[in-house]
C-alpha cells in the first residue's frame, strides 16, 4: 500500500491557491516562518530533477518573480558610500534571518560587498529607534567592516561548514553565517537570489574577507586619499608622543630623572624603536646602537619618590661569548643609578601566558557569545560557569592584574626601580606597564590621559597591531595573531567596575575602543610600529617629498560619532579632583591618604648635604649593590614569600580610606573578576533586560546630575549679575544626562546604547523543543533547579 505523502498534497494545494498565496507573499515586507516554508517549497519545486529542470506545469513562479514588482526600487537602495568606497558585488532578494527564536523569521534585502564592508540594505522602510542615538558614521547596524569578519560558515538547515578561501571555486551554500570579531552573528539565505548573483556575492565576500592581501588593499588608504583632517586640532586633544616636547612634558610631569633620545627621529637606529624615547642617563650613545633596541631599558613612568618603571626586549643570553651578558649587566646598572642603586627585574615571559596561550583561551571564551539561535543560548546557559572556568580567559586577566600589583608594590612600598622584560618587549610589557600607571597615576584615568597612555605605551611603544590582528590574513602571521590589546582593555574594565568614580571614561568608551580595532580606517591599529607607519604612509602619499599621507587616528572620535553620542563616553559618576584653596598656606601639600599609610624604605628621601655625606653615599652604594644582586638572582615572583608580601600590601591599603585620586588596587578574589557584559552580551537579545540592568542606574544618576548642573549654571548666571568683574559662567561638559533625558519616552534595555531592532517579549521563555528534550532526558524543567556540572564532557 502506498504511503500518504503530505508534501505532494502541499504542492497541489499551493498550485491550487497560487493567486492568493502570491498576493499574500508580495504584500509582506517581513516574512515569518509560514511564508518562508512556502517560498522554500517553491524553490524546491524549481530545483527538482536538476538545476535546470522545472515541473511540468506552466504556471510555476520563481521567488525572483514574486518580488519582481519591487525589484527596481530595491536596486536603488544602496548604503551611503564613504569617500573612496567602491561596490564590488551585490545580490538582491537575500533573506537576513533574525535570531529571536527558532521560527527563522527574516527580512528581504540587498547584500553588498565593498572595499570597506559587507552591507545588508533591508527592503523595509527605516524607523527611528533608540539605536539612532548612538549611530556610527562609518558603518551601521547591518554593516560588517571587512577586517571585523572573524569566520564564515556555509551550510543548509542545521548543518554548517567552516569556509576557507580555497573551497569556494564554483560553489555557494544556500545559507551563509558570518561571525564578527565584535561578537555579532549574521545569517543570510541565498536560496531566493539569482544563481549567478548568489555565487558572486558569496565568492566576493569570502575573497575580500578571508584571502591574503597587501596592506595597500585596506580601506584606510582609499579613504584617506579622499579625505583631509586638521592635524593641529587633533594634537590639542591627545598627547601623541611623536615629538621631543611630548616626551619631555610627560617626564617633567612625573618628575623623572632620565634623558630623551632623538637619534632615531629618522629611524636610523632601528625601525622598531620609537622616533623619540627616554632612557636612563647612564645609557651612552654607543649603547643605543647595539642589538637593534633589544636590552635597551626604555622609561615608562616615574614615582614621586624617585624610582621609575622601565621596560625592555630581552636579549637571548645563550651564546658562546659573554657580550650580551655584559651588556645587560651594564643596562641594569644604568637603571639602578636612577634611584638608590636598586632595581628589580621581572621576566614576564616566565610568569605570564604567551601570546599563543592568550589566543587559544580567548577563542574558547568567545564561542559562548557567538549565539546563532535561542536554543544554542539556553544550552550554553546550563554550563555557563564551568565553561567560563575551563577556557581560562578570566584567569589570564587575573594574572595580569596580579603582576601589575606586584610591580606597584615594588614602586610604592619598596621604592625600587623596576625593569620588566619579555622577548619582544611590546606585548605583555605594554599590558603590565599600562596597568601600573593606571593604578598609580590619576591623570591616566581621565579620558584624554587614558588616550595618551595608549598612544605612549602601545602605539609609540611598538605594539604590533597589524600582526596581532592579522587584518591581511597572511598565513605566515597566523601564529603571531593574539588579542593582547583586548586583554588590556579587559583589565581596565575590571578596574573601572570596581572603582567607578575614579575613571572619567565610561564602559561604553572602552567597548567602542575595542570595536575600533577592527575598523580599517584609523592608523592607530594598522601598523606594527612607528617606522612601519611612517614608511608606508610616506610611500603612499601623492606628495612623497613633502609629507606623508594624512590619516585619522582613532582618537578623532568625530569621524565615527557626533557630539551627542560622544557624551556617552564620559562617566557621570566620575569624581573630579577637588581644587586647592588658594587661602591655604603654600607650605601645606595634601597627599593621598593611602600613600601616607604605606611603609617607606630607609632611603625614601635623599640625604641632605652636610656632615657624614661621603660616608652616607658609600653606605648607599654598598647596600645598593646587595639589593641589585638580590633582585637579579631572586626566585620567581610567584613564590609564597612574594604572594604573602603582596597580600600584606593589599590589606594595608584596604584598611585606609579610599582616595579615588590616589593609589588604586584591584580586588582579585573569587567573583571579583567578572565578564564584560556590555561587550560580550549586547547582541544576544535573550540576556538583555528591558528597562533594567546597569543602564537603569545610569539613567537615574545622569538625570540627577543634569539637574545639579542646571542649578549650578543658574547660580553662575546669578553670580554674573552681582559681580562686575566676573567673566561669565564657565561652560560645562555635557554628560549622558541630556541624552538619556531627551529619550526618556523610549524603553531602554541593559544593552544601551548598543540596541538592535527587535520585537520585545515581556519575559524570556525557554523554547518548547528544548524544554521537551530536557524532560525526555530526565532533566528538570526549571534550569535554575539544576546544579551546574563542571564536567566538560556534558557541555552540549
Amino acid at each position: 500500500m502506498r504511503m500518504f505523502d503530505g508534501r505532494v498534497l502541499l504542492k497541489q494545494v499551493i498550485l491550487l491557491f497560487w493567486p492568493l498565496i502570491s498576493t499574500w507573499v508580495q504584500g509582506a515586507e517581513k516574512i515569518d516562518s509560514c511564508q518562508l516554508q512556502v517560498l522554500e517549497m517553491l524553490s524546491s519545486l524549481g530545483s527538482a530533477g536538476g538545476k535546470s529542470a522545472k515541473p511540468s506545469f506552466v504556471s510555476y513562479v520563481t521567488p525572483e518573480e514574486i518580488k519582481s514588482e519591487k525589484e527596481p526600487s530595491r536596486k536603488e537602495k544602496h548604503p551611503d558610500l564613504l569617500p573612496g568606497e567602491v561596490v564590488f558585488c551585490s545580490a538582491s532578494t537575500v533573506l537576513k534571518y533574525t535570531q529571536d527564536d527558532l521560527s527563522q523569521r527574516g527580512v528581504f534585502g540587498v547584500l553588498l560587498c565593498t572595499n570597506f564592508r559587507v552591507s545588508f540594505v533591508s527592503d523595509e522602510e527605516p524607523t527611528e529607534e533608540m539605536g539612532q542615538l548612538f549611530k556610527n558614521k562609518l558603518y551601521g547596524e547591518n554593516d560588517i567592516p571587512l577586517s571585523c569578519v572573524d569566520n564564515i560558515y556555509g551550510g543548509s538547515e542545521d548543518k554548517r561548514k567552516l569556509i576557507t578561501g580555497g573551497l569556494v571555486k564554483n560553489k555557494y551554500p544556500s545559507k551563509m553565517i558570518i561571525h564578527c570579531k565584535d561578537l555579532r552573528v549574521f545569517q543570510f539565505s541565498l536560496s531566493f537570489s539569482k544563481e549567478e548573483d548568489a555565487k558572486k556575492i558569496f565568492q566576493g565576500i569570502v575573497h575580500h574577507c578571508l584571502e591574503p592581501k597587501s596592506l595597500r588593499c585596506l580601506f584606510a588608504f582609499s579613504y584617506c586619499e579622499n579625505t583631509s583632517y586638521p592635524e593641529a586640532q587633533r594634537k590639542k586633544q591627545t598627547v601623541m608622543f611623536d615629538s621631543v616636547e611630548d616626551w619631555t612634558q610627560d617626564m617633567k610631569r612625573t618628575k623623572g630623572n632620565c634623558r630623551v633620545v632623538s637619534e632615531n627621529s629618522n629611524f636610523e637606529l632601528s625601525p622598531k624603536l620609537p622616533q623619540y624615547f627616554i632612557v636612563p642617563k647612564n645609557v651612552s650613545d654607543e649603547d643605543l646602537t647595539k642589538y637593534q633596541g633589544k636590552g635597551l631599558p626604555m622609561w615608562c613612568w616615574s614615582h614621586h619618590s624617585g624610582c621609575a618603571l622601565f621596560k625592555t626586549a630581552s636579549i637571548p643570553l645563550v651564546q658562546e661569548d659573554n657580550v650580551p651578558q655584559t651588556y645587560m649587566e651594564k643596562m641594569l646598572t644604568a637603571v639602578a643609578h636612577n634611584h638608590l642603586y636598586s632595581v628589580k627585574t621581572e621576566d614576564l615571559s616566565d610568569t605570564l601566558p604567551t601570546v599563543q596561550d592568550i589566543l587559544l583561551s580567548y577563542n574558547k571564551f568567545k564561542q559562548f557569545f557567538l549565539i546563532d539561535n535561542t536554543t544554542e543560548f539556553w544550552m550554553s546557559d546550563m554550563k555557563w560557569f564551568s565553561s567560563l572556568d575551563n577556557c581560562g580567559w578570566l584567569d589570564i586577566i587575573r594574572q595580569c592584574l596580579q603582576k601589575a600589583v606586584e610591580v606597584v608594590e615594588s614602586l610604592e612600598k619598596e621604592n625600587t626601580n623596576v625593569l620588566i622584560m619579555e622577548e619582544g618587549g611590546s606585548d605583555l610589557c605594554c599590558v603590565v606597564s599600562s596597568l601600573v600607571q593606571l593604578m598609580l597615576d590619576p591623570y591616566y584615568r581621565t579620558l584624554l590621559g587614558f588616550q595618551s597612555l595608549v598612544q605612549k605605551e602601545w602605539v609609540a611603544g611598538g605594539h604590533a597591531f597589524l600582526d596581532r590582528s592579522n587584518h591581511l590574513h597572511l598565513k605566515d602571521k597566523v601564529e603571531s595573531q593574539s588579542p593582547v590589546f583586548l586583554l588590556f582593555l579587559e583589565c581596565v574594565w575590571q578596574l573601572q567596575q570596581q572603582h567607578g568614580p575614579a575613571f572619567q571614561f565610561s564602559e561604553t568608551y572602552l567597548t567602542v575602543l575595542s570595536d575600533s580595532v577592527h575598523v580599517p580606517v584609523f592608523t592607530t591599529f594598522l601598523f606594527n610600529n612607528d617606522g612601519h607607519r611612517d614608511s608606508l604612509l610616506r610611500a603612499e602619499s601623492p606628495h612623497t617629498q613633502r609629507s606623508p599621507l594624512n590619516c585619522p587616528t582613532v582618537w578623532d572620535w568625530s569621524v565615527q560619532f557626533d557630539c551627542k553620542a560622544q557624551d556617552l563616553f564620559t562617566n557621570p559618576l566620575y569624581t573630579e579632583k577637588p581644587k586647592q584653596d588658594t587661602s591655604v598656606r603654600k607650605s601645606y601639600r595634601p597627599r593621598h591618604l593611602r600613600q601616607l599609610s604605606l611603609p617607606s624604605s630607609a632611603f625614601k628621601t635623599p640625604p641632605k648635604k652636610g656632615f657624614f655625606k661621603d660616608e652616607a653615599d658609600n653606605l648607599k652604594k654598598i647596600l645598593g649593590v646587595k639589593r641589585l644582586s638580590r633582585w637579579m638572582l631572586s626566585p620567581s615572583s610567584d613564590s609564597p614569600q612574594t604572594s604573602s608580601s603582596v597580600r600584606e600590601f593589599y590589606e594595608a591599603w584596604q584598611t585606609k580610606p579610599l582616595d579615588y585620586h590616589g593609589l588604586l588596587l584591584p580586588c582579585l578574589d573569587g567573583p571579583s573578576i567578572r565578564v564584560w557584559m556590555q561587550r560580550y552580551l549586547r547582541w544576544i537579545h535573550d540576556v538583555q533586560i528591558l528597562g533594567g540592568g546597569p543602564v537603569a542606574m545610569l539613567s537615574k544618576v545622569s538625570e540627577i546630575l543634569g539637574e545639579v548642573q542646571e542649578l549650578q549654571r543658574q547660580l553662575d548666571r546669578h553670580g554674573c549679575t552681582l559681580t562686575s568683574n566676573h567673566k561669565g559662567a564657565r561652560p560645562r561638559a555635557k554628560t549622558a544626562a541630556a541624552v538619556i533625558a531627551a529619550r526618556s519616552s523610549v524603553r531602554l534595555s541593559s544593552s544601551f546604547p548598543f540596541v538592535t531592532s527587535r520585537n520585545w517579549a515581556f519575559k524570556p521563555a525557554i523554547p518548547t523543543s528544548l524544554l521537551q528534550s530536557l524532560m525526555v532526558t530526565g532533566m528538570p524543567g526549571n534550569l535554575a533547579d539544576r546544579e551546574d556540572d563542571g564536567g566538560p564532557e556534558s557541555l552540549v
Side-chain angles (χ1 to χ4, degrees):
M1 183 177 180
R2 184 178 179 180
M3 298 294 293
F4 176 76
D5 192 352
R7 186 177 178 86
V8 175
L9 178 60
L10 179 59
K11 293 180 182 179
Q12 295 175 356
V13 172
I14 290 176
L15 295 178
L16 180 62
F17 295 98
W18 173 244
L20 295 177
I21 296 176
S22 178
T23 304
W24 173 53
V25 175
Q26 292 182 43
E29 289 288 346
K30 180 184 294 186
I31 67 172
D32 56 15
S33 59
C34 183
Q35 292 169 317
L36 180 60
Q37 292 178 2
V38 173
L39 292 178
E40 289 178 345
M41 179 64 68
L42 295 174
S43 178
S44 63
L45 287 174
S47 59
K51 292 185 178 180
S52 59
K54 289 187 178 182
S56 57
F57 50 85
V58 182
S59 60
Y60 172 72
V61 183
T62 64
E64 291 79 8
E65 295 171 342
I66 295 176
K67 293 285 183 175
S68 61
E69 296 181 1
K70 300 182 180 181
E71 186 73 22
S73 60
R74 182 173 56 248
K75 286 185 177 180
E76 296 175 0
K77 290 184 178 181
H78 276 213
D80 296 332
L81 300 180
L82 300 175
E85 187 175 8
V86 179
V87 178
F88 289 146
C89 53
S90 64
S92 58
T93 325
V94 175
L95 180 65
K96 175 181 175 291
Y97 292 103
T98 60
Q99 299 166 301
D100 290 344
D101 47 37
L102 293 177
S103 62
Q104 293 292 288
R105 295 185 176 94
V107 179
F108 277 113
V110 180
L111 187 62
L112 307 98
C113 181
T114 71
N115 57 336
F116 168 58
R117 55 184 162 175
V118 176
S119 179
F120 177 79
V121 183
S122 172
D123 290 344
E124 292 183 335
E125 295 296 331
T127 57
E128 289 292 332
E129 295 183 353
M130 194 63 187
Q132 300 296 323
L133 172 65
F134 201 65
K135 182 179 180 181
N136 195 306
K137 296 180 181 180
L138 297 179
Y139 62 97
E141 177 183 341
N142 292 322
D143 296 337
I144 314 170
L146 299 183
S147 299
C148 189
V149 174
D150 194 8
N151 288 310
I152 299 178
Y153 297 88
S156 58
E157 297 180 356
D158 296 334
K159 297 181 180 179
R160 70 179 187 182
K161 182 178 181 181
L162 181 64
I163 301 297
T164 58
L167 299 178
V168 296
K169 290 183 175 178
N170 296 318
K171 300 179 181 179
Y172 73 94
S174 60
K175 186 176 182 180
M176 180 171 56
I177 304 173
I178 300 179
H179 286 181
C180 306
K181 296 178 181 178
D182 60 2
L183 284 308
R184 289 183 296 171
V185 178
F186 290 86
Q187 302 184 59
F188 300 104
S189 175
L190 305 177
S191 302
F192 314 113
S193 301
K194 295 180 181 179
E195 182 178 353
E196 190 65 24
D197 292 344
K199 184 184 302 183
K200 286 183 179 180
I201 191 64
F202 173 72
Q203 295 179 356
I205 291 175
V206 172
H207 173 76
H208 294 289
C209 294
L210 303 181
E211 290 288 344
K213 66 187 71 173
S214 64
L215 185 61
R216 183 61 179 83
C217 295
L218 293 181
F219 178 67
F221 295 92
S222 301
Y223 182 73
C224 297
E225 288 174 356
N226 297 272
T227 316
S228 60
Y229 294 93
E231 184 146 349
Q233 182 180 1
R234 180 192 69 183
K235 289 195 173 183
K236 289 181 181 178
Q237 298 176 351
T238 303
V239 182
M240 303 299 293
F241 289 94
D242 55 0
S243 65
V244 176
E245 291 75 15
D246 291 347
W247 288 97
T248 304
Q249 179 184 359
D250 195 62
M251 185 174 60
K252 288 182 177 179
R253 186 186 63 84
T254 59
K255 297 179 175 58
N257 189 26
C258 300
R259 71 183 184 96
V260 181
V261 176
S262 59
E263 283 80 359
N264 199 42
S265 58
N266 295 324
F267 305 101
E268 295 177 356
L269 297 179
S270 173
K272 295 184 179 180
L273 291 177
Q275 285 182 287
Y276 311 96
F277 53 94
I278 300 177
V279 295
K281 286 187 175 181
N282 285 28
V283 176
S284 63
D285 294 339
E286 182 182 357
D287 297 328
L288 299 176
T289 59
K290 292 184 178 180
Y291 304 108
Q292 294 290 311
K294 289 188 175 182
L296 190 65
M298 303 179 66
W299 174 86
C300 298
W301 184 79
S302 291
H303 193 264
H304 62 79
S305 64
C307 58
L309 173 65
F310 298 86
K311 65 180 179 181
T312 185
S314 59
I315 301 177
L317 302 179
V318 184
Q319 297 184 11
E320 296 180 357
D321 54 6
N322 294 326
V323 176
Q325 179 70 32
T326 305
Y327 176 78
M328 282 303 303
E329 292 178 356
K330 185 178 180 180
M331 294 299 100
L332 288 173
T333 304
V335 173
H337 274 79
N338 179 74
H339 179 68
L340 297 179
Y341 287 86
S342 62
V343 60
K344 176 181 179 179
T345 61
E346 183 65 49
D347 192 348
L348 302 181
S349 301
D350 296 335
T351 57
L352 291 179
T354 63
V355 292
Q356 290 79 15
D357 294 336
I358 294 173
L359 176 63
L360 292 175
S361 178
Y362 179 71
N363 284 339
K364 295 178 182 178
F365 177 77
K366 69 181 181 182
Q367 296 302 321
F368 305 121
F369 310 97
L370 294 169
I371 304 299
D372 292 343
N373 51 62
T374 308
T375 302
E376 186 176 351
F377 166 77
W378 285 107
M379 296 302 294
S380 64
D381 184 66
M382 292 188 297
K383 297 291 182 180
W384 179 256
F385 293 107
S386 59
S387 301
L388 290 181
D389 183 66
N390 292 335
C391 69
W393 177 249
L394 298 180
D395 187 60
I396 293 178
I397 297 173
R398 180 182 288 105
Q399 292 180 48
C400 292
L401 290 170
Q402 174 78 16
K403 185 59 61 179
V405 172
E406 295 175 5
V407 176
V408 168
E409 180 199 14
S410 301
L411 294 169
E412 178 73 19
K413 178 182 177 181
E414 301 170 356
N415 295 336
T416 305
N417 297 299
V418 179
L419 175 64
I420 56 177
M421 61 180 66
E422 63 175 328
E423 182 178 357
S426 59
D427 289 306
L428 295 174
C429 279
C430 296
V431 174
V432 175
S433 63
S434 301
L435 292 177
V436 169
Q437 296 175 64
L438 274 175
M439 296 178 189
L440 287 169
D441 196 337
Y443 166 71
Y444 292 125
R445 299 172 208 153
T446 63
L447 183 60
L448 295 180
F450 181 77
Q451 295 180 170
S452 301
L453 176 65
V454 174
Q455 193 69 28
K456 178 181 71 171
E457 294 296 326
W458 294 83
V459 181
H463 179 67
F465 281 104
L466 184 64
D467 290 348
R468 293 295 176 249
S469 301
N470 196 19
H471 291 324
L472 306 182
H473 296 279
L474 302 178
K475 296 181 179 180
D476 57 341
K477 299 295 183 181
V478 173
E479 296 182 356
S480 303
Q481 185 175 353
S482 184
V484 180
F485 184 68
L486 175 61
L487 174 62
F488 164 66
L489 296 182
E490 282 268 17
C491 297
V492 176
W493 182 85
Q494 303 293 336
L495 284 169
Q496 197 242 14
Q497 291 299 302
Q498 296 182 16
H499 308 289
F503 292 85
Q504 187 185 28
F505 51 88
S506 64
E507 177 186 21
T508 301
Y509 170 81
L510 293 176
T511 305
V512 171
L513 183 58
S514 67
D515 292 342
S516 301
V517 176
H518 309 298
V519 180
V521 170
F522 310 105
T523 57
T524 308
F525 306 123
L526 288 185
F527 304 97
N528 290 329
N529 46 62
D530 283 348
H532 188 211
R533 178 185 300 101
D534 183 78
S535 61
L536 285 171
L537 292 183
R538 193 175 297 277
E540 296 297 338
S541 175
H543 307 285
T544 306
Q545 301 300 327
R546 299 180 183 179
S547 60
L549 191 65
N550 186 19
C551 294
T553 67
V554 72
W555 317 127
D556 297 326
W557 292 113
S558 59
V559 177
Q560 295 191 74
F561 302 98
D562 56 19
C563 296
K564 291 184 178 180
Q566 292 182 50
D567 290 341
L568 296 169
F569 292 170
T570 304
N571 178 19
L573 299 175
Y574 175 63
T575 304
E576 295 185 5
K577 188 174 183 179
K579 296 182 179 180
Q580 298 182 4
D581 191 355
T582 56
S583 62
V584 181
R585 292 181 303 173
K586 294 184 179 180
S587 59
Y588 173 72
R589 296 182 180 180
R591 300 180 60 190
H592 304 320
L593 297 177
R594 292 196 170 174
Q595 290 181 354
L596 288 172
S597 65
L598 297 177
S600 59
S601 66
F603 301 105
K604 185 171 183 178
T605 57
K608 298 181 179 179
K609 295 182 179 180
F611 191 64
F612 292 134
K613 176 181 182 298
D614 295 336
E615 287 76 4
D617 290 341
N618 291 333
L619 179 61
K620 286 170 56 180
K621 291 181 179 179
I622 294 174
L623 295 178
V625 171
K626 290 183 179 180
R627 292 184 69 187
L628 175 63
S629 61
R630 179 167 60 90
W631 286 124
M632 291 176 59
L633 302 177
S634 63
S636 173
S637 59
D638 294 333
S639 60
Q641 295 83 357
T642 303
S643 300
S644 60
S645 176
V646 173
R647 171 61 63 181
E648 293 176 0
F649 174 69
Y650 180 81
E651 292 178 352
W653 171 83
Q654 198 173 29
T655 56
K656 302 301 177 181
L658 178 61
D659 180 13
Y660 287 122
H661 299 282
L663 174 64
L664 289 183
L665 296 179
C667 180
L668 305 176
D669 296 333
S672 298
I673 305 299
R674 299 189 295 158
V675 176
W676 187 354
M677 292 186 293
Q678 187 187 66
R679 185 182 191 277
Y680 295 111
L681 301 176
R682 52 186 161 156
W683 312 122
I684 305 177
H685 298 305
D686 301 87
V687 300
Q688 295 179 13
I689 306 173
L690 185 60
V695 68
M697 180 185 68
L698 176 64
S699 61
K700 292 296 182 182
V701 172
S702 299
E703 184 179 354
I704 296 174
L705 181 61
E707 295 177 359
V708 172
Q709 290 181 346
E710 180 60 29
L711 292 175
Q712 184 64 48
R713 283 191 288 269
Q714 293 179 9
L715 290 175
D716 293 342
R717 287 194 295 268
H718 182 67
C720 292
T721 59
L722 299 178
T723 307
S724 58
N725 59 354
H726 198 283
K727 295 183 179 180
R730 184 173 56 124
R732 297 178 180 271
K734 292 183 179 180
T735 62
V739 179
I740 298 180
R743 303 283 181 145
S744 58
S745 60
V746 181
R747 301 184 69 186
L748 304 181
S749 70
S750 58
S751 64
F752 176 83
F754 303 95
V755 290
T756 57
S757 302
R758 176 198 170 121
N759 295 323
W760 283 95
F762 288 97
K763 61 180 181 178
I766 303 178
T768 306
S769 58
L770 175 60
L771 185 61
Q772 293 177 353
S773 64
L774 294 176
M775 298 300 294
V776 170
T777 55
M779 300 181 183
N782 188 358
L783 293 180
D785 297 335
R786 185 172 182 266
E787 296 183 357
D788 185 22
D789 187 6
E793 66 278 0
S794 56
L795 177 63
V796 179

